Amino acid sequence: MAKKPVNRHERLDRRITLRDLHILSFVARSGSMAKAALQLSTSQSVVSVAIANLEASLGVRLLERSAKGVEPTIYATTLLMRSRIAFDELHQALMDIERLEDSATGEIRVACSEFLSGGFISEVINGFTERYPKIVCQVTDADATSVEFHQLHERTVDLMVARIPAAFSKGDLAAEVLFDDPHVVVTGAGNPLARRRNVTLADLTTQNWILPASLVVREVLEEAFGTKGLAVPDGRIISSCVLMRNHLLATGRFVTVLPSSVLQYNASQWALRALPIELRTKPRPIAAILLKNRSISPPVQLFLEHLRQRASAHRRRGQSTMI
């Protein structure tokens, strides 16, 4: 068969099926169309049609025929060498899919604020990894100064667990409320206010405040003090580091606001006390936040289910109130 002058890009557009390549590989190994048909449990005519289709699509002769059988031409040898790579990659892809289908293996990437990673999320991760030891959990800090949730949009994380800010706009995000986690005013056991039965917001204006660099906390304080006609106290120390705040609160010299869950996990270790004052502010619940219309891998789905279970247990313990 004479070689046809076919444009290379036109060849790629022509129909070359994996089935025909598979048949060609059997013919080349067996040296006979009849033997290849027997090995493939098909008819010799099916094999002949497959080879003819390939030769027509490529415009080259793939087999040299003789009385002894057939031998692959240089074109067939080149095609089969490349197709072996393609079949191997396809095999690897199928193995990858099988691993993905095994939901008990894989990786999840979670972003959350430090106050959550130091308490509730640590409890979640501990239970999850005990149940699914083959799933790797990568936990990163969420940007406490942003309401844009850029880590989700940049797809560097699979989901975020965060407090929903007042300015939250759903857009392409989906938020599933887990529980409410109200803020409480906290100080060390050595602070004189910790021994009082009645404390007012006015009493707090003269205290040494530790203020976190959090938009949500600023909203809470502005709302709480604003309803009483008071200005938000200036922060003597500005830090979102929970560990640093715990150290400083333990001295008895400072006050701050903490989510009730943080107090739950840190009160006994650092001798922290919640002051007898209620911040009457709009609830800003903790939620699992994901991108809409983004496929969720089996490991992430398992994590979400476990997260819901732990949030439900958290509510039942009465540590926070569901909204």
Side-chain angles (χ1 to χ4, degrees), residues 111-116 142-144 146-149 160-168 175-184 214-220 245 257-263 281-289 314 320-321 323:
C112 65
S113 300
E114 186 185 11
F115 79 84
L116 285 169
D143 187 348
S146 173
V147 296
E148 300 300 327
F149 301 97
M160 296 181 70
V161 182
R163 191 182 295 277
I164 301 178
F168 179 74
E176 178 182 340
V177 173
L178 298 172
F179 58 90
D180 188 24
D181 195 14
H183 287 86
V184 291
S214 167
L215 293 177
V216 171
V217 171
R218 291 182 185 277
E219 292 172 355
V220 168
R245 283 193 281 171
V257 287
L258 292 175
S260 61
S261 64
V262 175
L263 183 64
T281 59
K282 177 183 176 181
R284 294 168 176 83
I286 303 297
I289 304 171
H314 187 83
S320 54
T321 304
I323 61 170

Side-chain angles (χ1 to χ4, degrees), residues 192-201 203-204 275-277:
L193 292 179
R195 296 186 290 274
R196 288 175 52 176
R197 293 185 178 181
N198 297 302
V199 178
T200 66
L201 285 175
D203 294 328
L204 301 178
L275 295 182
I277 184 170

Side-chain angles (χ1 to χ4, degrees), residues 52-94:
N53 287 340
L54 281 174
E55 290 182 333
S57 295
L58 296 170
V60 297
R61 186 183 296 277
L62 297 174
L63 298 174
E64 294 288 354
R65 296 162 176 83
S66 68
K68 295 182 179 180
V70 294
E71 291 185 1
T73 65
I74 187 173
Y75 306 114
T77 301
T78 300
L79 179 63
L80 288 172
M81 179 181 67
R82 296 293 186 182
S83 65
R84 276 195 296 272
I85 297 173
F87 276 109
D88 179 66
E89 287 296 316
L90 181 60
H91 177 69
Q92 292 298 324
L94 293 175

Side-chain angles (χ1 to χ4, degrees), residues 10 37 74 110 134 136 139 184 199 238 277 292 308:
E10 292 179 357
I74 187 173
V110 183
K134 293 183 180 180
V136 176
V139 183
V184 291
V199 178
I238 310 295
I277 184 170
K292 291 180 181 177
R308 295 182 186 113

Side-chain angles (χ1 to χ4, degrees), residues 12-28:
L12 293 175
D13 293 335
R14 295 190 176 188
R15 187 176 180 181
I16 300 176
T17 67
L18 292 175
R19 175 177 176 272
D20 291 347
L21 290 173
H22 186 61
I23 290 174
L24 176 62
S25 68
F26 271 81
V27 173

